[in-house]
Amino acid sequence: MENFDVIVVGGGPAGLSAAISAAQAGMKTVVIERGDYPGTKNVMGGILYTKATNMVVPEFWKDAPLERPIIEQRIAMLSGNESIMAGYRDPDWAVDPYNAHSILRVKFDRWLAQQAEKAGVMIITETLVEDLLYKNGNVVGVQTGRAEGELGAKVVILAEGVNNFLAVKAGLAKPLKPDSVAVTVKEIIALPKEKIEDRFCLDEGQGATIELYGDSTAGLMGVGFIYTNKDSISIGVGAILEPMIRNNWTPNDLLENLKSKPYVKRLLQGGETKEYLAHLIPEGGYTQVPRLHRQGVLVVGDTAMLMNSLNREGSNLAMISGKIAGEVAAQAIKTGDLSDQAMTVYETRLRDSFVLKDLHHYRHMGKFFENNPHLLKLYPKIFSKAAKMYLSADGTPKKQRQKEIIKMVFENRSKGGLIKDVYGAWRALL
């Protein structure tokens, strides 16, 4: 049986970041990836945050296969064929140091795997890890599906993604439930870069994002998104699985519903679909973060439910958790203490970072929306009606129009209901 210091299960950003930091600390490290190569099984919206990535690979933007630096972020609320927009643009985000980039995971993950190999990491592809290996109750490696597939390790880092098969078998996590995951579908639609820059009002090479709420998900708890790449647009939609099943929506139905909206349709006009992808996204939030460690084992990224959906942050949480896990694993191996108590350093460092602080801060948000399913259906409708009434110049005095808007609001939502919703949102956010 070949032995390593650290075995990382999964070749996504979390796993590769863990492998890089462990190898840089002098550990003999291997990544085991079930796909043909890192990136083939990985799907995300496509936004990579600079600060977290720079902590793993300094000045990565000089060499990495990035699409566009994001200089503008928009939010759209859809109601029927109507839309309300808000956004923030900063041209400074187009120069070093950047805030974020759009990426295509297949390209980026392969590049990140190359950086891991440069750091001394071995990468084994097309291999499924079936279980952990134990000796006297202690984790001593993994069992793969290959002949003579046992590999020894002092520490195993689980970066297997949202499908937490090994974490469940190790007693660290519970099986996934439909109310704790979202199904996300995404298309990559080819467009000439000049058209992208014209339609999004961008200078050459710059990028923008749009998050779409309300009718973008047919009122289900979720979000639609549009991200600009060099010569394509990534468009997708994600919604919690349980209400999707209950309302008889399929993921593809939601995507086609989003693409049919006039505002969205215009942005995609003339494009050609090149790829269609689907994936599960962890949505359990802070209250469903599993045990993050046990003797000889650490859990990172999506497997650890580290996803901040409200702020569209996942890649940075994954990479930072991976980097910390690799460092903690290396330190534990150097001291010779692989106990569960030694592994608690990983959780302590996560709690001291933005990763668990942000998840804890928004820990009530998911339950708030779950208990108030009317929010994403009713309020886009109210806001759209109010905007249309106020902005329509039809000779009606504005004072009268304001009274009509107030009357319309209370016809759609009682005063008590409105106060309850505002107070609930305030409590969930603060």
Side-chain angles (χ1 to χ4, degrees), residues 9 34 128-132 143 158 160-176 303:
V9 182
R34 63 191 176 97
L128 179 66
V129 176
E130 297 178 340
D131 205 348
L132 301 177
Q143 174 66 54
L158 299 181
E160 53 187 328
V162 69
N163 294 304
N164 57 355
F165 174 73
L166 292 175
V168 171
K169 293 193 75 172
L172 294 168
K174 296 179 180 178
L176 296 175
T303 314

Side-chain angles (χ1 to χ4, degrees), residues 233-307:
I233 288 178
S234 295
I235 178 171
V237 60
I240 301 297
L241 181 57
E242 190 277 328
M244 189 187 301
I245 296 172
R246 179 164 25 92
N247 288 276
N248 296 316
W249 280 91
T250 69
N252 190 64
D253 289 338
L254 288 178
L255 182 57
E256 292 303 317
N257 169 69
L258 175 60
K259 289 166 62 180
S260 70
K261 300 299 180 184
Y263 172 72
V264 175
K265 192 174 182 179
R266 174 68 181 84
L267 294 174
L268 306 178
Q269 188 175 358
E272 179 183 357
T273 300
K274 292 296 186 180
E275 292 185 59
Y276 181 93
L277 309 97
H279 200 58
L280 292 177
I281 303 294
E283 292 287 353
Y286 182 83
T287 59
Q288 293 191 36
V289 170
R291 283 183 59 197
L292 295 172
H293 56 83
R294 57 160 292 175
Q295 178 278 325
V297 181
L298 299 170
V299 184
V300 300
D302 283 2
T303 314
M305 283 281 178
L306 302 181
M307 169 66 71

Side-chain angles (χ1 to χ4, degrees), residues 38-232:
T40 55
K41 300 291 184 180
N42 301 329
V43 181
M44 73 176 189
I47 299 301
L48 183 76
Y49 293 93
T50 297
K51 186 169 184 178
T53 312
N54 190 58
M55 292 176 68
V56 176
V57 183
E59 298 187 335
F60 69 95
W61 58 82
K62 294 182 178 180
D63 300 305
L66 308 171
E67 294 297 305
R68 291 174 180 263
I70 302 303
I71 64 111
E72 181 177 4
Q73 300 188 36
R74 304 179 194 171
I75 295 175
M77 189 174 293
L78 304 183
S79 177
N81 291 330
E82 302 168 80
S83 59
I84 298 177
M85 304 288 299
Y88 175 76
R89 173 180 288 237
D90 187 350
D92 287 345
W93 282 353
V95 296
D96 175 10
Y98 308 93
N99 180 58
H101 285 85
S102 56
I103 62 167
L104 298 174
R105 282 288 298 274
V106 172
K107 295 180 181 179
F108 179 78
D109 286 11
R110 292 189 78 168
W111 176 86
L112 190 59
Q114 292 169 359
Q115 308 315 302
E117 289 176 323
K118 289 178 182 178
V121 176
M122 177 187 294
I123 298 179
I124 301 174
T125 60
E126 300 181 89
T127 301
L128 179 66
V129 176
E130 297 178 340
D131 205 348
L132 301 177
L133 294 177
Y134 299 88
K135 183 177 181 180
N136 299 324
N138 291 334
V139 174
V140 294
V142 301
Q143 174 66 54
T144 74
R146 292 189 172 192
E148 301 180 357
E150 293 186 351
L151 296 175
K154 297 172 183 175
V155 175
V156 177
I157 298 176
L158 299 181
E160 53 187 328
V162 69
N163 294 304
N164 57 355
F165 174 73
L166 292 175
V168 171
K169 293 193 75 172
L172 294 168
K174 296 179 180 178
L176 296 175
K177 294 182 179 180
D179 62 353
S180 63
V181 293
V183 178
T184 298
V185 290
K186 169 184 172 181
E187 285 185 2
I188 298 176
I189 298 177
L191 273 175
K193 64 184 184 65
E194 295 81 6
K195 284 189 177 293
I196 293 172
E197 288 155 5
D198 179 60
R199 291 178 185 179
F200 288 82
C201 299
L202 299 168
D203 288 338
E204 184 177 357
Q206 295 179 346
T209 68
I210 307 174
E211 312 294 326
L212 304 108
Y213 298 90
D215 272 354
S216 64
T217 57
L220 300 179
M221 184 177 171
V223 62
F225 59 86
I226 299 174
Y227 303 150
T228 57
N229 305 315
K230 285 181 179 177
D231 53 8
S232 66

